[in-house]
């Protein structure tokens, strides 16, 4: 017998299965219907997080493209504030995991415990059983603990003592990490990094932004309003699949990924899964920007966030100061694409 919270059970019942057909959809009408809600999400988060609007858009891209997002930055630049404010705009179950060196995998996934009343084992579900999971300072925990997220992020399920438990849809992991140059952190393994659709680097705010932060947060803020529910998010995720992308742009995405893979200073480049991630992200960005087709600008804007953290340099290149960001920038500068039939 498992003790399952009523709210979780209801979410799981309402969530469609992987094999459920998408059905017919008038995409332009759908986009018009949800445009105001998406704009409200951006506005609500913008009241709390003072920074580039692109940061909120990238969170929406990750959510609508069925991906996950990694936020990197030094302490105190509002990574957690951004993640929490975004989650509060969604009427969905939210859990936070504070990663520490002594955190165990079972602290994330859960474990079976004896029930003295029934003489059976009951599952005590871990915080991974939620729609939005904030993994705070993920690189404070060793690789063994970080790996507890791998199955959940890739397959939307968790295996505990040989028993597989599906996770409810939608499911989004927002992880924050400190730069690897800081003390007391562990570098994320390549397999873990590859599970993140996007990596977003949060830098110090400008002088004007910092002024607005202090002025805005000197008094308690009005709570963030919930705008989208789980049904809305799942509907948008399905609509993203119908966004048009031309064969020429698909070829452009493939060539960008192959450039990073074949670069002389790359020990590990963007995989085919990375190219697929860029395609899905570009579709999501197009829908967020109220289009039912992808433009080259969608690919260019998201390529650094999707590809950079998947590129690993050879040691000699690292010592010479070359970076993965530079390789992706080279790819965008040197890889050409052909215009599609619509001239976009």
């Amino acid at each position: 017998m498992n003790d399952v919270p009523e709210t979780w059970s209801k979410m799981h019942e309402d969530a469609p299965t992987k094999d459920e057909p998408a059905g017919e959809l008038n995409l332009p009408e759908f986009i018009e219907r949800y445009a105001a809600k998406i704009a409200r999400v951006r506005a609500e988060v913008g009241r709390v997080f003072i920074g580039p609007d692109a940061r909120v858009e990238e969170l929406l891209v990750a959510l609508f493209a069925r991906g996950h997002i990694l936020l990197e930055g030094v302490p105190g630049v509002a990574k957690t504030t951004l993640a929490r404010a975004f989650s509060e705009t969604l009427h969905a179950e939210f859990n936070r995991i504070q990663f520490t060196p002594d955190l165990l995998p079972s602290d994330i996934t859960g474990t079976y415990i004896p029930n003295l009343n029934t003489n059976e084992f009951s599952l005590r579900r871990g915080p991974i059983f939620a729609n939005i999971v904030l993994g705070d300072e993920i690189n404070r925990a060793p690789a063994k603990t970080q790996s507890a997220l791998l199955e959940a992020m890739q397959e939307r399920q968790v295996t505990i003592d040989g028993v597989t438990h599906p996770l409810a849809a939608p499911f989004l992991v927002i992880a924050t990490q400190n730069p690897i140059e800081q003390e007391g952190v562990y570098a994320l393994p390549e397999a873990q990094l590859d599970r993140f659709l996007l990596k977003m680097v949060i830098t110090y705010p400008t002088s004007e932004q910092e002024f607005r932060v202090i002025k805005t947060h000197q008094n308690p803020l009005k709570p963030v309003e919930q705008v989208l529910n789980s049904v809305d998010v799942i509907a948008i995720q399905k609509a993203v699949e119908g966004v048009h992308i031309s064969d020429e742009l698909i070829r452009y995405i493939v060539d960008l990924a192959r450039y990073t893979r074949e670069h002389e200073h790359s020990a590990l480049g963007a995989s085919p899964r990375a190219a697929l991630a860029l395609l899905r992200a570009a579709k999501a960005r197009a829908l967020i920007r109220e289009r039912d087709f992808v433009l080259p600008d969608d690919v260019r804007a998201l390529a650094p966030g999707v590809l950079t953290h998947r590129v690993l340099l050879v040691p000699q290149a690292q010592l010479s100061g070359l970076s993965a960001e530079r390789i992706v920038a080279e790819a965008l500068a040197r890889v050409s694409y052909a215009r599609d039939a619509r001239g976009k």
Side-chain angles (χ1 to χ4, degrees):
M1 299 291 292
N2 293 341
D3 297 325
V4 182
E6 183 179 350
T7 55
W8 172 264
S9 300
K10 184 64 169 65
M11 286 180 182
H12 189 74
E13 290 169 4
D14 291 344
T17 63
K18 296 178 182 178
D19 299 326
E20 185 176 325
E24 295 297 326
L25 178 68
N26 186 319
L27 194 52
E29 289 184 3
F30 180 92
I31 292 172
E32 183 178 359
R33 185 164 71 249
Y34 275 97
K37 283 191 174 184
I38 293 173
R40 275 187 60 205
V41 169
R42 301 172 78 152
E44 284 297 306
V45 179
R47 289 197 300 105
V48 178
F49 174 76
I50 310 299
D53 185 58
R55 299 290 177 252
V56 184
E57 182 177 72
E58 288 169 336
L59 283 168
L60 287 167
V61 165
L63 177 65
F64 296 156
R66 292 189 173 96
H68 309 284
I69 193 158
L70 179 64
L71 310 180
E72 180 180 281
V74 298
V77 291
K79 301 185 299 296
T80 304
T81 299
L82 172 61
R84 181 171 283 280
F86 179 74
S87 68
E88 289 174 353
T89 65
L90 309 175
H91 185 63
E93 188 171 357
F94 171 83
N95 279 333
R96 174 178 175 173
I97 306 170
Q98 182 63 54
F99 281 78
T100 57
D102 60 348
L103 191 73
L104 299 175
S106 59
D107 295 330
I108 297 172
T109 60
T111 186
Y112 282 95
I113 60 174
N115 188 325
L116 300 180
N117 294 325
T118 62
N119 291 325
E120 296 179 349
F121 284 87
S122 299
L123 176 62
R124 175 177 292 173
R125 294 173 181 259
I128 197 67
F129 286 89
N131 297 109
I132 311 295
V133 177
L134 170 59
D136 211 7
E137 296 186 300
I138 187 174
N139 60 342
R140 292 286 183 193
K144 181 179 180 181
T145 302
Q146 294 173 15
S147 65
L149 292 173
L150 287 176
E151 181 184 15
M153 293 173 67
Q154 183 63 30
E155 302 178 41
R156 268 60 175 181
Q157 64 183 33
V158 174
T159 301
I160 306 171
D161 290 345
V163 180
T164 299
H165 305 270
L167 300 173
F171 177 68
L172 170 69
V173 173
I174 305 173
T176 71
Q177 74 167 5
N178 298 306
I180 59 174
E181 293 83 4
Q182 291 200 320
E183 295 183 6
V185 299
Y186 300 83
L188 269 63
E190 289 80 8
Q192 180 73 65
L193 284 171
D194 198 37
R195 294 319 194 267
F196 288 102
L197 179 79
L198 282 163
K199 178 183 175 182
M200 184 195 308
V201 178
I202 309 293
T203 59
Y204 285 117
T206 64
S207 177
E208 179 60 30
Q209 289 171 344
E210 191 166 359
F211 174 83
R212 289 174 55 204
V213 168
I214 296 173
K215 184 176 176 63
T216 300
H217 288 268
Q218 63 179 326
N219 297 311
L221 297 178
K222 178 183 175 183
V224 174
E225 293 184 10
Q226 294 179 336
V227 180
L228 296 173
N229 58 35
S230 296
V231 175
D232 292 328
V233 173
I234 292 170
I236 296 172
Q237 288 175 339
K238 286 190 173 185
V240 164
E241 297 173 1
V243 173
H244 172 76
I245 182 167
S246 66
D247 288 347
E248 290 80 6
L249 276 178
I250 294 176
R251 172 59 62 184
Y252 180 50
I253 290 172
V254 170
D255 290 345
L256 287 173
R258 293 186 67 85
Y259 185 94
T260 68
R261 209 179 307 156
E262 297 169 357
H263 195 281
E264 60 178 336
H265 296 301
S266 291
L268 183 71
S271 67
R273 177 160 55 190
L276 183 58
L278 181 53
L279 180 145
R280 297 199 328 263
K283 284 187 171 187
R285 185 178 188 267
L287 185 143
I288 291 167
R289 296 200 166 209
E290 301 179 34
R291 284 182 275 105
D292 61 351
F293 58 90
V294 177
L295 292 176
D297 283 349
D298 296 318
V299 176
R300 290 197 198 97
L302 292 168
V306 174
L307 302 180
T308 300
H309 64 285
R310 293 175 162 98
V311 176
L312 181 65
L313 304 184
V314 296
Q316 297 89 334
Q318 293 176 335
L319 292 173
S320 65
L322 189 65
S323 65
E325 290 83 358
R326 180 174 168 183
I327 290 179
V328 174
E330 283 183 15
L332 290 169
R334 298 181 181 181
V335 175
S336 60
Y337 67 93
R339 293 180 182 273
D340 64 19
R342 299 158 76 168
K344 301 295 184 182

